[in-house]
Amino acid sequence: MLVKVLYFAQLADFAGKSEEQIEVTEKSPASLYADLRATYNFPHEFKQLQVAINHELSAHETPLEEGDEIAFLPPMTGG
Amino acid sequence: MLVKVLYFAQLADFAGKSEEQIEVTEKSPASLYADLRATYNFPHEFKQLQVAINHELSAHETPLEEGDEIAFLPPMTGG
Amino acid sequence: MNFLLMEQPIDPTALRAKMLSPRAGAYCSYEGWVRDHNEGKEVAELHYSSYDQLAPSVASQILSEAKERFSVDAAIVHRTGPLQVGDIAVWVGVTAHHRGDTFLACRYIIDNVKFRLPIWKKEIYTDNSEAWIENNHCGCADPANLQIPHKHEC
Amino acid sequence: MNFLLMEQPIDPTALRAKMLSPRAGAYCSYEGWVRDHNEGKEVAELHYSSYDQLAPSVASQILSEAKERFSVDAAIVHRTGPLQVGDIAVWVGVTAHHRGDTFLACRYIIDNVKFRLPIWKKEIYTDNSEAWIENNHCGCADPANLQIPHKHEC
């Protein structure tokens, strides 16, 4: 199924893009992140990141659905 | 000896003036305040007030000197 | 001297501008505003009277304590005379490298201003009655206690 | 909605004016300023990027928590994009009846903004190098922990 991945901050720099469509076979965000990390050399462990699905913070184990927009968020540094 | 007494807030209202010269025979601020309280019906006990002599906060038992300016300060309520 | 008593309205924009520094990362300010009510009575205006020859040295002492304890720059401005609802009665501004110090110092300063600065507030109500405000802190007057308004009991 | 992400400079005078209320007696504001240095390096500019579709709901949640805990009115404005030294990165304003609540709420809000609002800061140094800032809080990402930034350990 197809999902959209959004990249922010360091992850956007490493990926060289701010979003992309990805064809996934597993519903697990952890599995998707592992694939992306292998591709882009992301520095973060999965557990260091928050997960947002369709613009809402979501549990790490939330199963992905067709058409979801998912973002892996590095620790926030605003303020 | 002569001292100048400064009145602020409620004490100025009760005394009907902001300052006056007083001839004192005892050097004790407590004694002076007791006299003034009897004259003007000040509502405060001496221990409720701070004492300033020559524009510096002073201990309650500081002996008065000729020409001193003394103020008895009600609890402060600025801010 | 980072302290001023003034009869004119306090301008927080101008006061803030004086605090700017490229080395400061955090700015905390506090303002006391004249409310339209107090303890169930409708307030028409306030009148602050001050002991002008004593207030600067007390303010300077409070600011020195705050700078020493929290490594901040800080300033205090207090209004005197008649004030209307919505007017700023007191302004405190604090800058520091980091935010924690600004909050602690700003709170320390305003608490001590209320407790130690020789200024008194009279409230005039909409029914034309008036009253000198009783403070919420205790009336004990030993200067040794006055450094720590939250910790002493009388 | 008392939250705004903006690319234009933050105007604290205009933001303060929106907080005015005749029922409020206390106003506390906090500003984060871009410093000219950080951890020994000279900062030329900052760049904040944000997750614009997520930030408003997080800010709204933080403000709701503060209002519920401290009985305040409050607002948050955060800058995005490139910032110069001296610019305001974030502004928080809080009003309440009494001062204690304004300090506690303002501190609560800025702490949670730094910890929970989806915004990231890149520093660009005077030698043209740059770095995404590592936060000082820990990197554990369980949302259940994020409510109390000062109390959890990882």
Side-chain angles (χ1 to χ4, degrees), chain B residues 2 12 35 72 77:
Chain B
L2 209 59
D35 290 347
F72 302 98
T77 54

Side-chain angles (χ1 to χ4, degrees), chain B residues 6 8-10 13 47-50 52 54-57 60 71 73-79, chain C residues 48 50-51 53-54 78 90 114-122 132-133 135 137 139 141 146:
Chain B
L6 311 178
F8 296 98
Q10 298 102 310
D13 279 1
K47 67 179 170 53
Q48 291 178 284
L49 305 169
Q50 289 187 68
N54 300 327
H55 315 314
E56 290 188 3
L57 292 176
H60 278 123
L73 309 177
M76 289 131 184
T77 54
Chain C
Y48 284 94
S50 55
Y51 184 172
Q53 301 101 321
L54 176 61
H78 205 297
V90 60
K114 287 172 176 270
F115 200 69
R116 294 161 62 187
L117 204 61
I119 296 180
W120 298 271
K121 173 166 57 179
K122 179 189 274 187
W132 290 99
I133 295 309
N135 59 10
H137 41 263
L146 297 181

